[in-house]
């Protein structure tokens, strides 16, 4: 028998196991894959936003050097069905066909119209120019409100409307009745600009066929190998058991790889037709057109309150830009946010109304936060406007309305049950770190002096629903899949451990965290745990990675599976030690008999004894291996307070973030270093929406911000040094006590920054700056306010 002292892992800032391979270049990206006989795909994309395809001839491309095949959409149509939408949010939702390659009509710039296959990628790309296409231009559809007019041109003429769906939601008291009782009513219109995902690794797919058995292995830079497998079977007709999907090293996703893309289906079909492996890798500019976009929304928000600043009711009316097609979860993204517009606040009435609108632009879908950042932005901007209207400090108006820590668990007006939280503690800690009172004093001094460089202070207090959860709730939302997750633990004869997880990481640190969780439960060294993921052959069950679900659902499944291993090992250990199972203690990986500590077996010794099966209890199978499929009890609800100080030059419009402090509560933390990295990354993306990024289209529907020269992705040099900290109120709905962290920074930071910009300019009569708050827009807001010579913001109603 051996002694072993294993330090507790959960809570330690372990260096990531994944990083050694990444920083030494020993990675396995999809684009690195090369197999014998590999062919390369290139996709010809429409230069027009809306047009009828009058004629297409791919034959000239076949004459180009190195070209093996070329296909139009009509050529491929026999083998490919419509790309899937898994979230029909209403029974009468309009769901147009979405061919992977356009057949008769293109509906956004970048819509595929033909495919060329060649022996190398350059020959394939060069041959695209030989494909002949005649287009008949059709009117673009770009403005969300104009798209709903009776005489508007139609994106899908056969459907007779640009209205994809209408989704109403009313709860609590009647909003109109509450509104009549209010002392103050504040109305605002906010615009969520379109955002373009910029993962470090572009999308890529490699398909290798095995003709003799009709099997295909699909390597894809995807967040969702298990979901992709199911959906590719539906689109291509290849039986699911003949498809193996592998997500190798995946370099970021942010929701953009939570998708079933046409290129993946095309690659399967071309490999099937040619009997050869094929590869497609997007260029960065191609991705700007073809990878789905995020956000894209008009928000009309109305809040009713008392003169003392107490919220009575909230009304939200959304126009959500679907783009040209409904992709995997396109229609459901605004609906996810529907439950979060009330945020952390108590109120009596809530009314929500969302209209999905087709336009001739790239489809929208999940982007980091997926509906929750939009909701938090709207309520946090509106709370600042309420504070200004009733003459309260923005922090104070929040204090008067938030759910207090002693009220948890609390069912919000939107019907969600928040299991735990302490908004007061997070806010007080953030205010102290920020030096809030001193900054307010400095701000008053600058305003009194009439400084041209103004100081603004932005507040954002948030919660979010994450960890896509319980399957029956998702059923009620008409989502086509469940919220469960799978995990398995394999105890090897040598005492080492393999964790099999259905989640599929793309930078989050799953291998490290899952090793820490399993090591703690099993009492084995961290180094002795290996994690297998991202391959539907090695990990056949799973619901993959998105929505900050991996730790709270997938990690909890790992925890439960490890507990099952310990339970099985206890039975064997009791047999070996000739003791009752109830007489055993298990600590630090060692089973010992209560009162006789010298009678002991390590879990590794038990694993080997089980493997030999020379002396195990009668009727017991000779393995400790265990699996667990966990369907979560509830969503998880991280929360926090973010504070931002900006300096705004009123003469140039230039905005500089002077300081940024956030205190997040993500429940129990498995690895503080990974949490810190997730928060920093989230802050960068949220600040990017506030100040830098926007997908811009011209009047013809052309994307004019289609390269990194035109679409401003901030670098580290554009961002401040962040001060981050945490409070900890454990979740009660999962065994880890954990809450999600992957999207928290993005959700909270955008309103904090914009609130700071507006706060700096409010004394000048500015009440909103449209995102992104570029120098030009800030300067124009100042100029317009001064010209108007009025401190009353447009669209606001106030009554005593």
């Amino acid at each position: 028998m051996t002694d072993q002292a294993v330090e507790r892992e959960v809570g330690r800032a372990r260096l990531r196991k994944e990083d050694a391979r990444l920083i030494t270049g020993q990675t396995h990206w999809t684009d690195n894959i090369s197999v014998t006989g590999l062919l390369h795909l290139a996709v010809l994309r429409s230069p027009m936003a809306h047009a009828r395809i009058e004629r297409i001839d791919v034959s000239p491309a076949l004459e180009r050097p190195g070209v093996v095949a070329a296909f139009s959409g009509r050529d491929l149509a026999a083998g490919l069905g419509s790309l899937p939408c898994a979230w029909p949010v209403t029974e009468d939702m309009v769901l147009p066909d979405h061919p992977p390659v356009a057949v008769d009509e293109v509906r956004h710039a970048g819509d595929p119209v033909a495919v060329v296959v060649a022996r190398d990628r350059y020959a394939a790309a060069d041959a695209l120019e030989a494909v002949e296409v005649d287009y008949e231009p059709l009117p673009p559809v770009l403005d969300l409100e104009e798209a709903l007019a009776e005489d508007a041109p139609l994106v899908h003429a056969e459907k007779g409307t640009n209205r994809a769906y209408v989704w109403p939601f009313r709860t609590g008291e009647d909003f109109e009745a509450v509104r009549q009782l209010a002392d103050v009513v504040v109305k605002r219109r906010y615009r969520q600009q379109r955002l373009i995902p910029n993962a470090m690794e572009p999308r890529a797919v490699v398909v290798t066929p095995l003709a003799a058995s009709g099997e295909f292995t699909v390597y894809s830079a995807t967040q969702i190998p298990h979901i992709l497998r199911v959906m590719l079977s539906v689109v291509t007709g290849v039986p699911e058991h003949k498809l193996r999907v592998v997500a190798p090293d995946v370099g970021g996703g942010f929701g953009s790889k939570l998708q079933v893309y046409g290129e993946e289906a095309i690659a399967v079909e071309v490999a099937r037709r040619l009997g050869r492996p094929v590869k497609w890798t997007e260029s960065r500019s191609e991705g700007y057109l073809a990878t789905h976009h995020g956000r894209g929304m008009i928000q009309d928000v109305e809040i009713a309150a008392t003169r003392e600043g107490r919220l009575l009711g909230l009304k939200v009316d959304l126009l959500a830009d679907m783009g040209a097609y409904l992709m995997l979860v396109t229609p459901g993204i605004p609906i996810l946010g529907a439950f979060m517009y009330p945020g952390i606040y108590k109120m009596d009435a809530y009314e929500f109304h969302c209209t999905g609108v087709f336009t001739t632009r790239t489809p929208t879908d999940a982007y980091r936060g997926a509906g929750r950042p939009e909701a938090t932005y709207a309520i946090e901007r509106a709370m600042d406007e309420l504070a200004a209207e009733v003459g309260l400090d923005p922090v104070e108006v929040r204090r008067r309305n938030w759910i207090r820590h002693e009220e948890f668990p609390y069912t919000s007006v939107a019907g969600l049950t928040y299991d735990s939280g302490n908004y007061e503690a997070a806010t007080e800690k953030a205010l102290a770190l920020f030096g809030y009172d001193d900054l307010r004093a400095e701000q008053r001094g600058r305003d009194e002096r009439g400084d041209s460089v103004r100081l603004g202070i932005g507040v954002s207090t948030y919660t979010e629903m994450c960890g896509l959860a319980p399957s029956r709730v998702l059923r009620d939302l008409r989502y086509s899949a469940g919220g469960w997750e799978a995990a398995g633990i394999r105890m090897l004869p040598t005492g080492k451990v393999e964790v099999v997880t259905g989640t599929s990481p793309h930078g989050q640190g799953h291998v490290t965290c899952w090793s820490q969780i399993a090591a703690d439960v099993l009492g084995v060294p961290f180094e002795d745990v290996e994690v297998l993921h991202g391959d539907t052959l090695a990990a056949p069950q799973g619901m993959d990675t998105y929505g900050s679900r991996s730790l709270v659902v997938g990690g909890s499944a790992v925890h439960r599976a490890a507990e099952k291993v310990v339970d099985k090992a206890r039975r064997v250990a009791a047999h070996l030690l000739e003791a009752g199972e109830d007489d055993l203690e298990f600590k630090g990986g060692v089973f010992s008999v209560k009162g006789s500590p010298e009678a002991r077996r390590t879990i590794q010794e038990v694993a080997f004894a089980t493997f030999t099966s020379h002396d195990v209890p009668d009727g017991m199978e000779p393995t400790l291996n265990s699996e667990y499929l966990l369907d979560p009890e509830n969503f998880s609800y991280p929360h926090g307070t973010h504070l931002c100080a900006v300096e705004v030059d009123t003469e140039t419009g230039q905005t500089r973030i002077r300081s940024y402090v956030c205190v997040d509560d993500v429940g129990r933390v498995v690895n503080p270093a990974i949490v810190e990295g997730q928060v920093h990354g989230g802050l960068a993306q949220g600040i990017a929406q506030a100040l830098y990024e926007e997908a811009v289209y011209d009047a013809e529907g052309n994307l004019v911000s289609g390269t990194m020269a035109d679409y401003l992705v901030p670098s580290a040099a554009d961002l401040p040094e962040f001060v981050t900290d945490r409070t900890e109120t454990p979740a009660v709905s999962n065994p880890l006590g954990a809450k999600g962290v992957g999207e928290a920074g993005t959700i909270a930071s955008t309103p904090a920054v914009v609130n700071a910009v507006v706060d700096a300019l409010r004394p000048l009569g500015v009440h909103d700056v449209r995102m992104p708050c570029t120098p030009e827009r800030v300067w124009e807001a100042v100029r317009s306010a001064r010209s108007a010579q009025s401190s009353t913001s447009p669209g606001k109603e106030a009554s005593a």
Side-chain angles (χ1 to χ4, degrees):
M1 293 182 293
T2 58
D3 292 326
Q4 57 184 43
V6 179
E7 185 178 346
R8 182 166 177 80
E9 286 293 338
V10 170
R12 293 182 66 186
R14 278 280 192 180
L15 293 177
R16 301 196 331 165
K17 285 185 174 182
E18 301 91 326
D19 289 346
R21 291 188 310 104
L22 295 174
I23 63 178
T24 57
Q26 300 177 65
T27 45
H28 193 55
W29 310 113
T30 302
D31 190 50
N32 291 350
I33 296 170
S34 182
V35 295
T36 302
L38 184 66
L39 299 175
H40 295 264
L41 298 178
V43 179
L44 182 66
R45 302 185 183 278
S46 169
M48 308 185 73
H50 198 195
R52 189 170 292 112
I53 299 174
E54 293 287 289
R55 183 185 72 91
I56 183 165
D57 186 359
V58 299
S59 60
L62 295 171
E63 301 174 5
R64 292 297 183 97
V67 172
V68 174
F71 305 97
S72 67
R74 194 170 299 281
D75 295 332
L76 294 173
L80 294 175
S82 179
L83 293 175
C85 175
W87 204 337
V89 295
T90 63
E91 288 186 12
D92 60 351
M93 185 183 80
V94 176
L95 182 57
D97 285 342
H98 184 184
V101 182
V103 177
D104 299 311
E105 194 170 313
V106 293
R107 294 181 171 88
H108 68 90
D111 215 354
V113 296
V115 178
V116 172
V117 189
R119 293 186 176 87
D120 67 68
R121 68 177 60 184
Y122 306 107
D126 289 345
L128 291 179
E129 65 184 20
V131 177
E132 298 175 0
V133 188
D134 293 338
Y135 297 100
E136 178 189 345
L138 296 171
V141 179
L142 301 171
D143 184 276
L144 295 181
E145 291 175 304
E146 292 176 3
L148 299 177
E150 288 188 8
D151 59 348
L154 298 175
V155 181
H156 299 275
E158 74 281 5
K159 298 299 183 182
T161 181
N162 290 323
R163 185 178 282 102
Y165 65 86
V166 175
W167 197 89
F169 181 55
R170 295 177 180 85
T171 184
E173 298 180 20
D174 179 69
F175 177 81
E176 290 304 320
V178 166
R179 187 185 190 280
Q180 295 302 315
L181 299 174
D183 301 315
V184 177
V185 176
V186 177
K187 292 182 180 180
R188 288 292 183 271
R189 167 168 282 200
Y190 301 121
R191 294 180 182 269
Q192 295 281 332
Q193 77 269 36
R194 278 175 165 252
L195 301 176
I196 300 176
N198 280 274
M200 292 183 71
E201 179 202 20
R203 290 189 296 118
V205 59
V206 173
V207 177
T208 60
L210 187 60
S213 61
E215 295 175 293
F216 297 85
T217 299
V218 180
Y219 300 90
S220 181
T222 182
Q223 298 174 218
I224 52 167
H226 297 90
I227 295 173
L228 179 60
R229 183 191 190 205
V230 174
M231 293 303 186
L232 280 179
S233 178
V234 172
V235 175
T236 66
V238 177
E240 185 182 351
H241 67 289
K242 297 290 188 179
L243 283 170
R244 174 190 178 191
V245 176
V246 181
D249 291 315
V250 177
F254 314 118
S256 70
K257 294 172 183 172
L258 165 56
Q259 193 56 264
V260 178
Y261 283 105
E263 294 85 359
E264 292 160 324
I266 293 165
V268 172
E269 176 63 12
V270 170
R272 176 165 56 183
R273 291 190 181 207
L274 301 182
R276 298 269 297 274
V278 297
K279 177 192 286 188
W280 172 81
T281 302
E282 73 177 2
S283 67
R284 186 66 69 177
S285 56
E286 187 179 22
Y288 273 40
L289 288 169
T291 297
H292 73 241
H293 292 178
R295 315 288 192 255
M297 188 183 293
I298 297 174
Q299 303 169 304
D300 286 311
V301 181
E302 184 175 355
I303 55 177
T306 68
R307 190 176 294 105
E308 294 74 29
R310 189 179 77 81
L311 284 173
L312 299 176
L314 170 67
K315 182 179 180 181
V316 178
D317 196 350
L318 301 185
L319 291 180
D321 188 350
M322 303 287 98
Y325 302 100
L326 302 183
M327 298 190 75
L328 191 64
V329 291
T330 300
I333 297 303
I335 307 309
L336 271 178
F339 301 94
M340 296 313 300
Y341 279 86
I344 68 172
Y345 306 114
K346 296 180 286 188
M347 62 189 73
D348 303 319
Y350 175 48
E351 184 173 321
F352 176 90
H353 187 276
C354 179
T355 303
V357 183
F358 289 113
T359 63
T360 53
R361 287 186 280 224
T362 301
T364 58
D365 210 299
Y367 181 76
R368 196 171 191 170
R372 279 86 37 85
E374 298 94 309
T376 300
Y377 182 85
I379 188 62
E380 289 303 294
R381 286 286 296 112
M383 289 299 285
D384 261 33
E385 296 304 302
L386 175 62
E389 179 61 40
V390 299
L392 288 172
D393 182 274
V395 174
E396 179 57 28
V397 81
R398 288 166 169 83
R399 282 196 182 105
R400 295 187 182 189
N401 288 285
W402 64 35
I403 303 156
R404 302 194 63 81
H405 71 276
E406 65 269 16
E407 297 177 280
F408 288 95
Y410 184 90
T411 300
S412 77
V413 70
L416 296 177
T417 298
Y418 301 168
D419 60 342
S420 67
N422 192 328
Y423 309 142
E424 307 99 297
T427 301
E428 291 308 314
K429 194 169 191 178
L431 292 172
L433 289 169
F434 192 61
Y436 186 82
D437 292 340
D438 290 342
L439 284 167
R440 283 294 184 200
E442 180 185 342
Q443 180 187 49
R444 287 191 293 272
R446 290 195 187 202
D447 291 347
E448 289 167 2
R449 293 191 301 271
D451 288 0
S452 61
V453 177
R454 298 280 176 150
L455 178 65
I457 298 168
V459 181
S460 174
T461 49
Y462 79 99
T463 188
E464 60 148 326
M465 52 183 279
C466 61
L468 203 60
S471 297
R472 291 177 182 178
V473 172
L474 300 181
R475 171 203 63 193
D476 294 342
L477 292 174
R478 301 180 59 84
Y479 183 60
S480 297
W484 56 266
E485 192 49 79
I489 303 289
R490 300 202 288 245
M491 287 293 300
L492 304 181
T494 56
K496 309 304 181 184
V497 178
E498 289 179 336
V499 174
V500 180
T501 177
T503 62
S504 184
H506 40 283
Q508 295 91 338
H510 291 187
V511 171
T512 302
C513 289
W514 281 209
S515 295
Q516 291 179 273
I517 292 167
D520 266 8
V521 177
L522 300 172
V524 301
F526 169 80
E527 295 77 11
D528 286 357
V529 183
E530 189 65 39
V531 179
L532 308 179
H533 59 80
D535 183 340
T536 61
L537 185 61
Q541 293 180 298
M543 292 303 295
D544 305 318
T545 295
Y546 39 84
S548 298
R549 73 184 299 272
S550 290
L551 179 62
V552 296
V553 188
S556 292
V558 170
H559 181 93
R560 292 299 193 206
E563 288 181 327
K564 287 179 70 174
V565 169
V566 173
D567 289 343
K568 292 174 76 173
R570 182 184 302 276
R571 184 180 176 194
V572 178
H575 177 79
L576 294 173
L577 293 169
E578 299 181 346
E581 292 182 41
D582 293 340
D583 294 329
L584 293 187
E585 292 181 333
F586 180 69
K587 183 177 181 181
V590 177
F591 292 97
S592 60
V593 179
K594 296 174 184 177
S596 302
E598 70 282 356
R600 50 196 276 133
R601 289 288 190 278
T602 66
I603 196 169
Q604 292 93 336
E605 291 170 324
V606 174
F608 186 77
T610 308
F611 164 71
T612 65
S613 247
H614 293 168
D615 188 15
V616 296
D618 292 341
M620 180 173 179
E621 59 181 357
T623 179
L624 299 182
N625 297 350
S626 296
E627 295 183 348
Y628 198 95
L629 273 72
L630 184 143
D631 202 344
E633 299 173 14
N634 193 359
F635 296 92
S636 76
Y637 299 96
H639 68 84
T641 297
H642 288 224
L643 301 170
C644 178
V646 300
E647 292 182 328
V648 181
D649 190 326
T650 57
E651 295 180 354
T652 66
Q654 185 67 41
T655 296
R656 181 182 75 88
I657 297 179
R658 176 168 141 180
S659 62
Y660 196 102
V661 168
C662 63
V663 174
D664 295 292
D665 193 320
V666 297
R668 287 207 176 97
V669 171
V670 173
N671 189 312
I674 288 177
V675 167
E676 189 87 351
Q678 287 282 352
V679 171
H680 277 230
L683 294 177
Q685 284 188 280
I687 292 169
Q689 178 174 8
L691 296 180
Y692 301 111
E693 296 187 21
E694 181 177 21
V696 178
Y697 286 82
D698 66 16
E700 300 302 316
N702 300 302
L703 181 65
V704 297
S705 56
T707 71
M708 283 190 167
D710 309 297
Y711 185 91
L712 182 54
V713 180
S715 71
D718 300 304
L719 298 169
E721 183 174 345
F722 304 124
V723 176
T724 65
D725 209 332
R726 293 187 302 277
T727 56
E728 185 174 304
T729 52
V732 300
S733 57
N734 66 74
L736 298 174
K739 303 176 182 180
V741 69
E743 297 160 306
T746 303
I747 288 168
S749 57
T750 306
V753 174
V754 177
N755 276 343
V757 172
V758 175
D759 184 64
L761 303 177
R762 196 179 296 279
L764 305 179
V766 174
H767 296 273
D768 191 31
V769 178
R770 182 175 169 181
M771 293 190 293
C773 300
T774 61
E776 179 182 7
R777 284 182 176 162
V778 171
W779 180 85
E780 181 59 37
V782 172
R783 188 179 72 88
S784 296
R786 285 173 171 166
S787 297
Q789 294 185 355
S790 171
S791 61
T792 302
S793 63
K796 176 165 61 178
E797 298 179 5
S799 58

